[in-house]
Amino acid sequence: MTRVLILGGSWFLGRTIAEQAVEHGFEVTTFRRGHTGTDVEGVTTIRGDRTNPDDVAQLTEAGRWDLVIDTSSFVPRETLTLAHTLEPVTDRYLLISTVSVYEGWPVEPLAETSAVLECPSDAGPDYGYDGNPGPSQYGFGKAGCERAVIETFGADRTAVLRPGVILGPMEYVGRLEWWLRRLQQGGRVLAPGRPERPIQPVDVRDVAKFALEPDLTGIMNVTAPGRETMGDLLKACRAATGSTAVLEWVTDEQWLAEQGIRQWTELPLWRTYKGAWAVDSHRARAAGFSSRPIRETVSDTWAWLNSGGAAIEHERATELGITPEHEHAILGLWDAAQLDHCGAE
């Protein structure tokens, strides 16, 4: 029987991986502090903090592990210590990273061969800096965590998955939830950019399934292939909520940016940079990754919310969403700009 250790495992991706691993018949252990979420039925839970050596030592006593899946790695030196501790009792280590490790994110189209931020494997939590639009301390940290695991386990025993945006039931940041709630309210909805703009969010359940692929190794971006669009997403939100809202597409993105809208947060998932939704993931698809239609992710998330689902409190959630007053004002300015344009013609 395959023995899997999940670092995390109580919420969103970690929990979904744990649930699917149990369904596959794996022997599953989660290592988590227990501050949020609940334990998954059918798993063994070891309470502990990954920053505490005594807590981590419990894992070597409970091993040997066929696979460690790390969903909670942010500080390189902590990951390095943990990897050194687990290496003697672990066959493979899978790290959930992010496309934010790339130097060009989100400005440039990206592939696994794109340059990665430089961060040493023993860096602390304050390494790096936040740029606008990038890079970020978060990206530097994740790059250092990748290096820590690869240095310890070697490339042939390591898998690094670099997702872009992950959506679906139990999403804790709340990007999709915000759009669902806004469409549910109805009225005129400020829809940013062109409806035909391709987007690449992936469903949490598809990422979890891929993480459990046998003998997975290598570095892979995990994004949807770009077949679906922002229009598909917002129309799916309208359909799922039964809304009669009218989508008002502000197609002049430069004009919209000039109004001071905070990209990515005030209108979630909207960014003007050409690399935001241009991440190549052919390696992952060749290795077995597939992504479901965005409408299924949307409808299942809405069903989860309406069955009593509620996201954990997350600091980034407070950044999301345009206020009704600001949205109304922007739409009024857009209407006036369109009238001026028609008059000029």
Side-chain angles (χ1 to χ4, degrees):
M1 179 182 292
T2 301
R3 301 194 72 212
V4 178
L5 171 64
I6 302 171
L7 307 177
S10 65
W11 197 254
F12 200 38
L13 179 58
R15 185 179 186 87
T16 306
I17 292 172
E19 291 172 342
Q20 291 195 14
V22 170
E23 292 174 4
H24 289 359
F26 297 166
E27 183 180 332
V28 183
T29 299
T30 59
F31 176 66
R32 67 187 199 87
R33 293 174 300 175
H35 293 173
T36 60
T38 58
D39 296 326
V40 173
E41 186 176 351
V43 311
T44 299
T45 299
I46 298 176
R47 291 277 186 263
D49 189 324
R50 61 186 294 146
T51 66
N52 187 321
D54 292 335
D55 289 352
V56 174
Q58 300 176 79
L59 304 178
T60 63
E61 298 165 4
R64 180 170 195 93
W65 311 104
D66 297 298
L67 172 63
V68 169
I69 301 178
D70 190 348
T71 68
S72 56
S73 183
F74 300 100
V75 180
R77 69 182 177 208
E78 295 172 1
T79 301
L80 183 64
T81 299
L82 192 147
H84 280 160
T85 303
L86 289 175
E87 191 276 331
V89 295
T90 301
D91 292 341
R92 274 193 309 126
Y93 197 114
L94 186 144
L95 177 70
I96 302 296
S97 186
T98 170
V99 295
S100 294
V101 300
Y102 290 112
E103 287 183 2
W105 167 256
V107 177
E108 304 170 359
L110 299 169
E112 289 88 352
T113 54
S114 301
V116 172
L117 296 169
E118 284 292 330
C119 180
S121 58
D122 59 352
D126 298 326
Y127 190 89
Y129 59 92
D130 289 325
N132 186 17
S136 64
Q137 278 196 329
Y138 169 69
F140 277 106
K142 281 289 194 178
C145 291
E146 291 185 7
R147 177 170 289 186
V149 175
I150 294 171
E151 285 179 357
T152 305
F153 277 80
D156 60 337
R157 295 170 58 201
T158 302
V160 175
L161 305 187
R162 294 172 177 164
V165 174
I166 305 177
L167 302 176
M170 292 189 291
E171 182 207 346
Y172 52 80
V173 177
R175 297 181 179 105
L176 178 53
E177 179 180 355
W178 187 87
W179 279 115
L180 283 162
R181 301 293 189 195
R182 177 62 192 93
L183 268 295
Q184 182 191 32
Q185 292 169 8
R188 296 179 74 205
V189 176
L190 197 170
R194 297 174 292 105
E196 66 271 19
R197 164 173 272 195
I199 58 174
Q200 295 180 289
V202 290
D203 191 289
V204 62
R205 294 162 293 184
D206 297 330
V207 180
K209 179 182 177 182
F210 185 53
L212 294 169
E213 284 284 333
D215 304 320
L216 196 66
T217 58
I219 298 173
M220 286 165 280
N221 298 327
V222 183
T223 59
R227 291 189 299 261
E228 297 183 287
T229 66
M230 194 68 179
D232 292 329
L233 173 68
L234 297 192
K235 289 175 183 176
C237 289
R238 185 170 58 188
T241 59
S243 173
T244 58
V246 176
L247 294 170
E248 297 289 353
W249 291 97
V250 178
T251 54
D252 188 338
E253 292 190 303
Q254 181 177 350
W255 179 91
L256 187 57
E258 289 170 352
Q259 308 315 305
I261 299 288
R262 298 191 310 276
Q263 296 187 41
W264 205 245
T265 54
E266 200 167 5
L267 291 173
L269 304 176
W270 171 64
R271 259 183 174 163
T272 58
Y273 309 111
K274 64 181 180 180
W277 299 116
V279 180
D280 180 74
S281 59
H282 77 275
R283 284 187 188 175
R285 291 195 295 276
F289 176 71
S290 61
S291 51
R292 69 193 65 201
I294 193 69
R295 64 178 180 276
E296 186 175 331
T297 301
V298 169
S299 62
D300 289 350
T301 301
W302 185 241
W304 168 69
L305 289 168
N306 283 289
S307 67
I312 61 173
E313 293 185 6
H314 193 278
E315 63 273 12
R316 281 184 286 172
T318 60
E319 303 171 355
L320 292 180
I322 188 170
T323 65
E325 296 78 14
H326 196 190
E327 181 183 33
H328 179 76
I330 296 296
L331 286 173
L333 292 171
W334 177 247
D335 290 342
Q338 299 306 105
L339 286 173
D340 288 344
H341 179 74
C342 291
E345 291 181 347

